[in-house]
Amino acid sequence: MKFVQKTTWKEVFQGWKDSEVDNPEWIYCATKIKGWPDWESWRNYTATQGDLQNRNWSIFEFENPIDEVSKMLIGPFSGWQSQVQKKNLSSFSDLINIPKEYKHFKSSKKIISILKNQSFNSNLIGIVREDINQIVCIEGHHRATALAIAKKEGIEINFDKPVRIALARLPKEETFLIDRALKKGSCKV
């Protein structure tokens, strides 16, 4: 990865909002499944669990997206973590190497759409766990899974624009926030 520029959580969150706030699937998930009044309340709750709004953010560009994104760790979300044994320590490649999960995601409409397009331009959000120096995906799980499948199958992907990620660092003494976020979940209590 190479550094592109400094940014702010406000700008990172706005990009996330722009990509999801009008999507009926995400609105349904936020309001009907998770119990929040709207998308923004749900995603702000996710942000506060990791204190994302108070971190220093930078934009990086992947130099080898298919490899680098596949190696990212799955974020602390129960739906994703329930599929792996090593909670908060499994990568997207690890997920795809589980035969049941490979079959499931290979037939997912979202994944099929990404792979069929064979073009990938995207911005992701993550945090770097300083205890193990690995990126944890906060936003971009389906796209990361699609790239892990593409890597596994040798599918050629056209990266017509740079693939970037907004990153902040999570100090060793704060990595408990990841486990706590997974335990609490993102449903409105």
Side-chain angles (χ1 to χ4, degrees):
M1 277 190 307
K2 64 181 180 180
F3 173 79
V4 176
Q5 66 189 39
K6 295 273 187 196
T7 189
T8 64
W9 174 247
K10 185 177 178 180
E11 291 171 343
V12 171
F13 190 79
Q14 187 61 50
W16 193 2
K17 183 177 179 179
D18 291 347
S19 72
E20 285 188 358
V21 75
D22 293 326
N23 182 317
E25 289 179 54
W26 289 124
I27 294 168
Y28 179 84
C29 183
T31 59
K32 303 300 183 201
I33 296 172
K34 301 294 183 174
W36 293 97
D38 51 41
W39 177 93
E40 194 163 350
S41 299
W42 174 45
R43 293 307 199 188
N44 270 318
Y45 178 74
T46 298
T48 58
Q49 286 183 310
D51 197 29
L52 303 182
Q53 68 280 6
N54 293 315
R55 300 198 183 279
N56 296 317
W57 289 89
S58 296
I59 304 293
F60 290 84
E61 188 174 301
F62 291 106
E63 295 176 278
N64 187 344
I66 203 158
D67 287 327
E68 292 170 296
V69 172
S70 297
K71 290 177 184 173
M72 290 191 325
L73 300 181
I74 299 165
F77 307 108
S78 58
W80 288 91
Q81 292 291 336
S82 66
Q83 311 309 316
V84 296
Q85 287 199 330
K86 293 182 180 179
K87 307 300 184 217
N88 290 329
L89 293 171
S90 295
S91 70
F92 290 96
S93 288
D94 295 333
L95 176 68
I96 292 308
N97 283 321
I98 301 169
K100 176 183 167 197
E101 298 310 318
Y102 172 71
K103 183 178 179 183
H104 166 75
F105 284 107
K106 183 77 173 140
S107 63
S108 160
K109 288 180 183 177
K110 286 183 183 180
I111 304 296
I112 290 168
S113 173
I114 294 166
L115 292 174
K116 186 185 285 187
N117 188 13
Q118 292 188 322
S119 179
F120 191 92
N121 58 56
S122 186
N123 294 316
L124 308 168
I125 302 172
I127 52 174
V128 178
R129 285 184 61 158
E130 290 188 343
D131 61 332
I132 57 175
N133 200 35
Q134 283 192 270
I135 297 172
V136 176
C137 186
I138 300 298
E139 194 277 322
H141 283 68
H142 288 93
R143 288 165 283 155
T145 302
L147 288 186
I149 289 172
K151 180 179 178 183
K152 181 179 179 86
E153 294 186 1
I155 297 171
E156 195 167 317
I157 302 292
N158 176 19
F159 297 103
D160 52 349
K161 291 184 181 175
V163 179
R164 293 183 170 173
I165 186 166
L167 284 176
R169 301 197 72 76
L170 185 67
K172 289 179 185 182
E173 62 274 10
E174 293 183 46
T175 57
F176 73 91
L177 293 173
I178 296 169
D179 293 325
R180 187 170 74 186
L182 177 58
K183 186 175 181 180
K184 280 185 162 185
S186 65
C187 289
K188 189 170 194 296
V189 189

